[in-house]
Amino acid sequence: MVSLGQPQYRAGQLAEWLYKKRATSFDQMSDLPRDLREQLAGRFSLSKTEIVRVLGSRDTTRKFLFRLGDDSLIESVLIPASPALYGSRSDRRTICVSTQVGCAYGCKFCASGLEGFSRNLRPNEIVDQIIATERESGEKIDNIVFMGMGEPLANFDNLLSAIRIINAPWGLGIGARHITVSTSGLAPQSRKLAEQPLQIRLAISLHGATDAVRNRIMPINRRYSIETLLAAGDDYVSRKKQRLTFEYILIKDVNDSEEEAHLLAKHALRLRAKVNLIPYNTVQGLPWSRPSQDRQEKFLAILREHEVPATLRREKGHDIEAACGQLRLQTKRELQLR
Ligand code: SAH
Ligand code: SF4
């Protein structure tokens, strides 16, 4: 606003229109002078994020597929109130948002990485997922998890810009403790995140308690080993004075042995981390499957024997292709879009 020769308070007015009143055109911004509105419309554009598909229904997990200005497809998942997800109160509505189109990290089990990486999302494309989902669902979202498509810490600057908007009182006003960033293991970037003043939560997608298992399913582990990653986690915990979460997908005959459970417990105790066990969602074209219910429960019981706070996610969203990247992949195959 200052560079346009406007008084500073115009910035506040603009933010109000964008994030509180959720204007869809500059024309609606009635307390801005007409010539300024025209100037803005000539230089900038408002959201081109469009919802093209919604799966699921109210009271269940709902999945939103978006088309961006350049026709790329991304997805978000809206998770209804559920007990103690990522440290949140049980009455919170959580959205799982994407940070990249595709993913470059190529974890063997994940649909997001299957077709490689296209590009980083810009800060507004990250924030738009929340605004568009609130508009479509009519619900206020109060918990954000960066667990959609892409590796958030590989899009570090745009992620932080988006978080600032999400957190700011002039933006969406969601407290940093209700924002969780998930990483597959970018140890140096998670140290950088620890240096940020905001009390953002960190989740580590561990999925294996040994380098042997992680090397098999997550190529990133060859760059940053478990020990490197846990040391970075240690650093996060000591700076932020908060618990972190280990995400652990249970994949049959890959990472579900009792031995792996005991080792996972050891890592969790060392970092005072909570463990979220997630039965694997099958992805079309990939050979992996989830262990039997008994085996899942056994794995959980071992963690609890060690007094590790642990949860096992019991069915939510399997039927709507809710694991990251699945809906996009399916839609692309159907529509043969880009
Ligand atoms: N790239 C980041 C964040 C996005 S992935 C990361 O990997 O942490 C979000 C979560 O979904 C990760 O824990 C990921 O491992 C998990 N996930 C991916 N594919 C899945 C599948 N088929 N079934 C269940 N969870 C899956
Ligand atoms: Fe990328 Fe995360 Fe999927 Fe791995 S699990 S391919 S890092 S989105």
Side-chain angles (χ1 to χ4, degrees):
M1 284 300 170
V2 170
S3 74
L4 292 175
Q6 294 290 328
Q8 279 190 15
Y9 69 84
R10 293 268 185 241
Q13 288 177 307
L14 184 62
E16 177 94 13
W17 281 110
L18 291 175
Y19 303 118
K20 301 282 193 269
K21 298 182 193 149
R22 312 274 167 97
T24 50
S25 77
F26 289 106
D27 237 19
Q28 296 168 347
M29 304 183 177
S30 51
D31 56 0
L32 301 184
R34 180 175 301 275
D35 61 334
L36 174 60
R37 279 184 261 160
E38 279 165 11
Q39 228 180 326
L40 289 173
R43 288 186 53 169
F44 303 98
S45 62
L46 292 182
S47 169
K48 292 212 173 62
T49 302
E50 205 194 322
I51 295 183
V52 289
R53 241 177 131 172
V54 183
L55 291 191
S57 56
R58 259 193 128 66
D59 308 323
T60 62
T61 301
R62 250 170 307 166
K63 187 143 195 172
F64 298 83
L65 187 74
F66 300 97
R67 196 198 321 270
L68 304 178
D70 67 348
D71 282 345
S72 299
L73 295 174
I74 55 163
E75 49 190 70
S76 303
V77 183
L78 181 63
I79 306 158
S82 63
L85 189 71
Y86 309 107
S88 62
R89 286 201 320 262
S90 58
D91 56 349
R92 291 195 165 261
R93 271 168 305 261
T94 298
I95 187 174
C96 173
V97 296
S98 297
T99 51
Q100 300 183 311
V101 182
C103 184
Y105 288 85
C107 302
K108 299 283 192 286
F109 48 80
C110 174
S112 292
L114 267 186
E115 295 195 359
F117 171 72
S118 302
R119 67 171 176 90
N120 282 327
L121 294 186
R122 292 189 300 269
N124 66 303
E125 292 171 325
I126 297 173
V127 177
D128 271 353
Q129 296 170 60
I130 304 166
I131 293 179
T133 304
E134 285 193 344
R135 186 179 290 142
E136 169 82 15
S137 67
E139 289 176 38
K140 173 91 183 76
I141 289 162
D142 34 30
N143 204 42
I144 317 281
V145 297
F146 287 96
M147 296 186 183
M149 195 186 303
E151 168 53 51
L153 294 186
N155 187 12
F156 195 87
D157 293 343
N158 290 348
L159 173 77
L160 271 195
S161 300
I163 289 177
R164 279 190 207 106
I165 295 170
I166 292 167
N167 176 248
W170 49 261
L172 304 189
I174 296 174
R177 288 176 183 280
H178 301 299
I179 301 174
T180 301
V181 172
S182 175
T183 182
S184 60
L186 274 65
Q189 285 85 344
S190 72
R191 286 183 188 271
K192 238 172 94 185
L193 189 69
E195 289 163 10
Q196 297 301 315
L198 289 176
Q199 285 292 329
I200 307 162
R201 291 182 189 273
L202 182 67
I204 295 179
S205 291
L206 209 56
H207 311 326
T210 54
D211 283 324
V213 170
R214 265 179 70 89
N215 283 344
R216 180 173 167 204
I217 56 179
M218 302 178 78
I220 183 75
N221 198 69
R222 294 176 191 273
R223 209 173 333 150
Y224 307 116
S225 68
I226 289 210
E227 185 44 44
T228 307
L229 183 56
L230 293 179
D234 247 335
D235 184 51
Y236 203 90
V237 175
S238 60
R239 278 172 187 260
K240 296 285 182 204
K241 308 263 180 292
Q242 55 165 272
R243 276 184 186 246
L244 53 80
T245 305
F246 288 155
E247 303 287 308
Y248 198 99
I249 312 180
L250 286 167
I251 311 176
K252 188 178 170 202
D253 298 333
V254 172
N255 64 1
D256 61 343
S257 70
E258 295 185 14
E259 210 184 336
E260 209 69 12
H262 287 291
L263 276 169
L264 175 62
K266 198 179 112 200
H267 298 326
L269 290 172
R270 163 176 163 192
L271 268 68
R272 296 191 56 247
K274 295 179 296 186
V275 177
N276 261 339
L277 298 175
I278 309 156
Y280 182 66
N281 268 314
T282 42
V283 174
Q284 216 191 340
L286 295 182
W288 321 95
S289 62
R290 58 175 57 178
S292 69
Q293 191 79 34
D294 279 358
R295 210 164 156 87
Q296 296 173 27
E297 300 286 350
K298 176 72 193 166
F299 200 94
L300 176 68
I302 292 172
L303 296 178
R304 295 210 166 136
E305 254 171 49
H306 289 279
E307 297 183 19
V308 171
T311 53
L312 171 62
R313 193 178 298 173
R314 294 179 178 91
E315 266 334 46
K316 215 171 238 177
H318 197 52
D319 55 334
I320 60 160
E321 315 271 344
C324 69
Q326 288 186 285
L327 180 61
R328 167 176 175 260
L329 190 67
Q330 188 199 44
T331 307
K332 277 176 75 169
R333 282 178 180 158
E334 280 170 22
L335 303 179
Q336 303 211 302
L337 277 168
R338 305 159 44 82

